[in-house]
Amino acid sequence: MNSKPLYNSRIIDNYLRLIRRSYPHVDINDLLSHAGILPFEVADQSHWFTQEQVNLFHQRLKEVTQNNNIAREAGRYAASPDALGLMRLWVLGTLSAAKLFEVIGKFSSNLTRSSRYESRKIAANKIEMKVTPHEGTKENPFQCANRHGFIEAAALIFTNRLPRVEHPECIFKGGSSCRYIVTWEPAMTGLLKKAANLSIVLFILYIMAGVFTSPKGELHSMGAFLLGTVALGLSVMAGSREKRELKNSLSNLSDSTNKLVEQTDINYNNALMANEIGQAISGKINTEDILSTVIQILQKRLDFDRGMILLANDDKTRLEFRGGFGYREEEIALVGKIGFHLNRPESKGAFVLAYREQRPFLVNDINDIESDLSPRSLDLARRLGTRSFICCPIICEGESMGTLAVDNLSSKRPLVKSDMSLLMGIAPIIGISLNNARLLSGRTTQFRSTLEVLAATIDARDLLTAGHSQKVTEYSLGICQELRLPKEFQDMIRVAALLHDYGKIGVPDSILKKDGRLTPEEYEIVKTHASKTREILERIEFHGNYRQVPEIAGAHHEKLDGSGYPLGLKGKEIPLGARIIAVADFFEAITSKRHYRDPMPLDVAFKLLDEEKGTHFEENIVNAFIRYFEKNDLGKSLQLARNTKNRVPYRTEVTFRAGEQIFIGQTHDIGTYGLYLVSNQELSKDTILDLSFHLPGSTHLFVKALGRIAWVNHASLQKSPSFPPGFGVEFLEVHSETIKSIESWVESAAA
């Protein structure tokens, strides 16, 4: 039975509140750890502890306080005004002393499962409380002492003096139950009423007796007057006191009602917030959208000055700032620059401990934990002006993902346990949503990577066509954006465009890489790639909107006038997606170098597009592509791509500085004149960057270069969905020897 949950967390919470008030030197974390109790379990009012945990807790508490009567003291504190708070007003406004003990007996099952409580009224100011252990349970003497203290303090709510508590039977002295007989002084109002009633009875008896014993009546009249005056005085005093007590009772009831209404409003607001967060982020599929939505709701609903969300990076070595409210720009920059290390044993700040140990922290004065913080954490707290704060771990399926933290700066409102409980209720919702987004992102990334690999297997057969599918995808999506087509349609087009040439896997290299023009027979073999693309893709189990992919990818060489292949479709018979990819594929092909010709100048390419309107291509699609091309200044990017010669995949960490801010990203690929930098930072086109990275090889060359962001590929300005978020960077200033080293390495890697 020692391992069976028997005692509600509110019992331990009451002990902790007493400790904080009367024994501030006691290390609560050590106390809880000794008993195998986690702080968030205490904060959770639905949590229950075992007899073994309670025993260990009391044993340790008695040692550190050197107080053998700590259990009885805690019992008295549980019924004190400080502990009862709002409940005390309700008790005074609605209950009598005897009724209170009856309520305690009924309410006890919400706090303990070890015993059955029964109360019996003996007199107006006397009750019997009987506690009988359930079969199989074994309490300890300190729990009897704790009950004794609580019973004493409960009666004190109605009187100014301790009641007399007799304990004629005790389970620890051979009894079958613990019996407590409680006697308290009767209320003064009751005594006055009894005295008034008695004086009235005496007055009546005196009058009746006088009729027969005092013929003259003079002495009788004087006595009657005195008795009547006393009776009247006592009645007036009793009535006045009763009215005053009634008024106090009504006042207490009114106060408790108002505070209950206030608490109800708070609970309702908290419930609304949790529901609002759940609904708002349930439809979000990426981390940034989830965090942005959560931060907005927290700022609107929570009564805190500031708040932040920190998430662990991919390798779980740092907690990084991902969003917040109430912070100035320089404070956000400070937190973002410093970060919180998870892989250093000396890191012991509250954020790191909350993440590592999966427990919340509530600190109302950071000076109280100054000795527990590293100098770095303490310096950060002081620079941010933090004094009181709460931080809770964001957990999903037992895994820590980050921390949610709030603090008060200007309002200086004290933080309380209910604040921590609220945040502990919100944090799992955030964790679940972030985990779902991560899983979905992982699946999406895996899906996209698979598609890119499939596309690359075709493009890589010939160095001159490397990147063709990605470029066609970029152009196709640009057209879709100009035509304002739905996102779901664009997602499908992205897949079809990436795989539109997959049928070329069945075309021999001797034809695919032939220098010079193809013979009619060879050209007919090349043309079969369209139908082969459809046949291969139809074997893939596409779902939903993606079911159109095989048909669209296989029709990208159809023409409006019916002269295309493989089916000779006309006009609207050709799927819209295929009409879009046709324009993108044609333009990319004629502006790139091939074995049999050099790339066409842009003016010639656009002239050819214009000539093919209405016969080969749909006019509004061509116009949309031209708008997209000009709006995004792709001419420079295209020229840069030509000057880059061979662009090869390469992954390495890059440190880059934009203005006064320093960031860390990763290369995606590199060429002689630039690289693609993977980063979530929102930087704009033409931003100048100081770049530092290593080039692999025997010398492991360290490269320092000045670069310019030539194009941006973020969600707000997505030019190439086939690439991860980031930007293309053009080298501006690089040492000549370094350029030669990069060119040499790129050529060897591409070979």
Side-chain angles (χ1 to χ4, degrees):
M1 292 302 295
N2 273 2
S3 61
K4 184 177 180 180
L6 298 174
Y7 304 100
N8 189 264
S9 60
R10 283 171 283 187
I11 295 175
I12 299 297
D13 184 56
N14 175 71
Y15 272 95
L16 296 185
R17 285 191 284 173
L18 170 65
I19 294 166
R20 292 189 183 96
R21 190 197 69 168
S22 303
Y23 301 90
H25 64 280
V26 172
D27 185 344
I28 289 178
N29 289 332
D30 171 71
L31 184 64
L32 295 178
S33 177
H34 180 79
I37 296 173
L38 297 174
F40 72 85
E41 293 175 336
V42 180
D44 182 2
Q45 293 190 1
S46 64
H47 194 84
W48 293 73
F49 297 111
T50 66
Q51 182 69 52
E52 182 180 9
Q53 288 176 302
V54 172
N55 291 346
L56 289 170
F57 178 86
H58 177 262
Q59 177 192 28
R60 186 66 169 170
L61 180 59
K62 193 168 63 171
E63 290 173 1
V64 296
T65 60
Q66 296 295 304
N67 182 358
N68 292 330
N69 294 317
I70 188 67
R72 188 164 180 175
E73 183 180 343
R76 288 184 178 179
Y77 178 77
S80 68
D82 186 32
L84 286 177
L86 178 62
M87 182 62 70
R88 183 174 184 273
L89 295 177
W90 177 79
V91 168
L92 286 170
T94 58
L95 300 178
S96 64
K99 193 68 176 177
L100 172 61
F101 284 103
E102 182 181 335
V103 170
I104 290 173
K106 294 178 179 178
F107 182 71
S108 62
S109 61
N110 294 321
L111 296 174
T112 176
R113 298 168 178 166
S114 65
S115 305
R116 182 177 70 256
Y117 284 64
E118 300 170 283
S119 64
R120 179 173 65 90
K121 183 177 178 182
I122 299 174
N125 62 327
K126 189 173 185 179
I127 64 100
E128 179 189 66
M129 178 71 72
K130 185 177 180 182
V131 181
T132 306
H134 292 304
E135 185 177 354
T137 62
K138 185 180 180 181
E139 292 185 338
N140 280 292
F142 72 84
Q143 289 166 304
C144 176
N146 183 260
R147 287 193 292 264
H148 198 132
F150 182 83
I151 290 170
E152 289 176 326
L156 267 176
I157 295 176
F158 297 93
T159 65
N160 294 321
R161 300 176 66 177
L162 280 173
R164 185 171 75 256
V165 180
E166 302 172 68
H167 193 21
E169 183 181 1
C170 181
I171 57 176
F172 303 108
K173 295 180 181 180
S176 61
S177 62
C178 277
R179 286 197 303 122
Y180 308 90
I181 298 175
V182 189
T183 307
W184 60 92
E185 290 187 358
M188 182 58 68
T189 301
L191 293 175
L192 287 173
K193 288 177 72 173
K194 287 182 178 180
N197 292 336
L198 180 60
S199 63
I200 290 172
V201 171
L202 290 175
F203 174 73
I204 294 172
L205 292 175
Y206 187 80
I207 293 294
M208 293 176 63
V211 173
F212 300 102
T213 61
S214 182
K216 293 184 178 181
E218 292 85 356
L219 184 60
H220 172 76
S221 299
M222 181 60 68
F225 174 77
L226 291 174
L227 275 174
T229 301
V230 171
L232 179 61
L234 289 172
S235 296
V236 170
M237 288 175 64
S240 175
R241 192 174 184 91
E242 186 175 30
K243 288 179 181 178
R244 187 162 64 249
E245 289 181 356
L246 181 59
K247 183 178 180 180
N248 290 337
S249 180
L250 289 173
S251 176
N252 288 329
L253 187 58
S254 176
D255 288 343
S256 65
T257 301
N258 291 336
K259 291 185 179 181
L260 281 171
V261 170
E262 291 176 8
Q263 187 62 47
T264 301
D265 288 341
I266 293 172
N267 293 342
Y268 178 68
N269 183 70
N270 293 344
L272 278 180
M273 179 176 57
N275 181 61
E276 187 175 348
I277 289 175
Q279 288 189 347
I281 64 180
S282 61
K284 307 298 182 184
I285 59 174
N286 69 72
T287 299
E288 298 305 323
D289 286 347
I290 291 172
L291 294 176
S292 175
T293 302
V294 168
I295 289 297
Q296 291 176 20
I297 296 174
L298 294 181
Q299 183 173 17
K300 181 176 70 173
R301 291 283 188 188
L302 289 181
D303 185 23
F304 301 110
D305 296 335
R306 304 187 301 194
M308 71 167 75
I309 293 177
L310 303 166
L311 296 182
N313 59 2
D314 290 339
D315 56 5
K316 308 291 186 183
T317 59
R318 290 165 59 89
L319 279 177
E320 298 176 344
F321 179 87
R322 298 298 297 273
F325 66 88
Y327 290 91
R328 300 190 302 271
E329 289 185 10
E330 58 268 26
E331 292 172 337
I332 293 176
L334 176 63
V335 176
K337 180 180 179 181
I338 293 179
F340 304 90
H341 294 282
L342 297 173
N343 58 343
R344 295 181 181 175
E346 66 271 20
S347 296
K348 52 181 181 177
F351 296 159
V352 173
L353 291 180
Y355 177 91
R356 284 178 183 164
E357 301 176 9
Q358 298 189 348
R359 61 188 178 100
F361 287 85
L362 189 159
V363 178
N364 264 309
D365 189 346
I366 199 167
N367 294 323
D368 294 341
I369 61 168
E370 181 177 342
S371 60
D372 296 329
L373 297 176
S374 65
R376 186 168 172 273
S377 296
L378 188 60
D379 178 65
L380 175 62
R382 287 174 174 166
R383 291 172 69 180
L384 292 175
T386 301
R387 183 172 180 82
S388 61
F389 68 90
I390 298 174
C391 64
C392 297
I394 298 174
I395 305 170
C396 182
E397 296 180 353
E399 178 187 359
S400 293
M401 305 183 70
T403 59
L404 168 63
V406 298
D407 71 342
N408 280 331
L409 186 64
S410 58
S411 70
K412 300 295 188 294
R413 178 181 72 83
L415 302 174
V416 295
K417 282 291 183 61
S418 59
D419 294 325
M420 187 169 70
S421 297
L422 171 62
L423 293 178
M424 285 298 290
I426 295 172
I429 301 175
I430 300 173
I432 291 170
S433 299
L434 290 175
N435 189 55
N436 289 341
R438 183 179 63 179
L439 293 174
L440 183 59
S441 175
R443 290 177 59 186
T444 302
T445 300
Q446 186 180 39
F447 179 54
R448 290 185 175 184
S449 299
T450 302
L451 296 179
E452 289 171 9
V453 169
L454 290 175
T457 57
I458 299 302
D459 293 350
R461 291 178 64 191
D462 186 352
L463 189 61
L464 289 179
T465 62
H468 168 72
S469 297
Q470 283 81 0
K471 211 67 180 172
V472 170
T473 302
E474 178 183 335
Y475 292 161
S476 298
L477 290 172
I479 295 170
C480 290
Q481 291 164 14
E482 288 299 317
L483 295 176
R484 300 184 182 281
L485 296 174
K487 183 179 182 303
E488 295 77 11
F489 184 85
Q490 294 185 41
D491 290 340
M492 182 271 297
I493 287 297
R494 187 176 106 30
V495 176
L498 272 173
L499 301 177
H500 74 283
D501 273 346
Y502 198 72
K504 285 184 179 179
I505 197 172
V507 179
D509 280 353
S510 59
I511 297 176
L512 205 61
K513 299 181 181 181
K514 180 180 179 180
D515 289 326
R517 294 198 171 275
L518 301 175
T519 65
E521 293 78 12
E522 291 171 333
Y523 182 56
E524 289 300 319
I525 293 174
V526 170
K527 286 169 61 177
T528 62
H529 83 276
S531 57
K532 288 177 179 177
T533 293
R534 179 167 183 167
E535 291 170 7
I536 293 171
L537 296 183
E538 282 179 340
R539 299 177 187 176
I540 299 175
E541 192 175 348
F542 289 107
H543 295 281
N545 198 37
Y546 291 101
R547 289 177 180 171
Q548 304 175 64
V549 166
E551 180 187 8
I552 289 173
H556 70 278
H557 280 296
E558 301 287 358
K559 299 182 179 181
L560 292 182
D561 62 3
S563 62
Y565 62 87
L567 300 178
L569 301 176
K570 291 184 178 181
K572 299 300 181 182
E573 293 177 349
I574 306 170
L576 173 60
R579 284 177 265 152
I580 290 172
I581 294 174
V583 172
D585 180 58
F586 178 81
F587 183 84
E588 203 289 322
I590 63 176
T591 56
S592 299
K593 181 176 176 55
R594 292 295 182 262
H595 290 284
Y596 52 88
R597 60 163 173 78
D598 287 328
M600 290 184 182
L602 291 180
D603 56 341
V604 175
F606 282 118
K607 183 179 179 181
L608 283 176
L609 271 179
D610 188 65
E611 291 174 354
E612 295 292 329
K613 287 179 182 177
T615 56
H616 186 173
F617 308 118
E618 192 170 301
E619 183 174 354
N620 70 320
I621 293 177
V622 173
N623 294 338
F625 173 70
I626 294 172
R627 290 197 305 272
Y628 165 74
F629 195 91
E630 293 176 346
K631 182 185 296 183
N632 293 281
D633 197 18
L634 294 185
K636 289 184 179 179
S637 298
L638 190 60
Q639 187 62 40
L640 177 63
R642 289 174 179 173
N643 294 338
T644 305
K645 297 183 179 179
N646 299 333
R647 181 66 68 89
V648 296
Y650 177 50
R651 306 286 192 273
T652 190
E653 188 175 271
V654 179
T655 300
F656 60 101
R657 181 166 64 86
E660 297 300 319
Q661 293 183 296
I662 298 176
F663 308 102
I664 296 176
Q666 188 181 60
T667 58
H668 181 269
D669 56 36
I670 189 171
T672 308
Y673 296 98
L675 55 81
Y676 185 85
L677 184 57
V678 180
S679 172
N680 286 315
Q681 300 301 324
E682 292 287 347
L683 299 178
S684 57
K685 184 174 176 290
D686 294 325
T687 298
I688 303 300
L689 305 177
D690 283 316
L691 305 161
S692 301
F693 60 94
H694 283 91
L695 196 67
S698 58
T699 59
H700 202 62
L701 178 67
F702 183 69
V703 177
K704 291 183 69 66
L706 190 68
R708 176 188 71 88
I709 296 181
W711 62 286
V712 177
N713 192 47
H714 282 153
S716 57
L717 191 61
Q718 195 173 33
K719 288 187 177 180
S720 181
S722 61
F723 278 72
F727 19 82
V729 179
E730 174 188 12
F731 293 146
L732 297 179
E733 294 181 11
V734 188
H735 193 276
S736 59
E737 292 301 318
T738 303
I739 283 290
K740 291 179 181 179
S741 297
I742 294 176
E743 184 174 6
S744 174
W745 183 83
V746 168
E747 288 179 354
S748 63

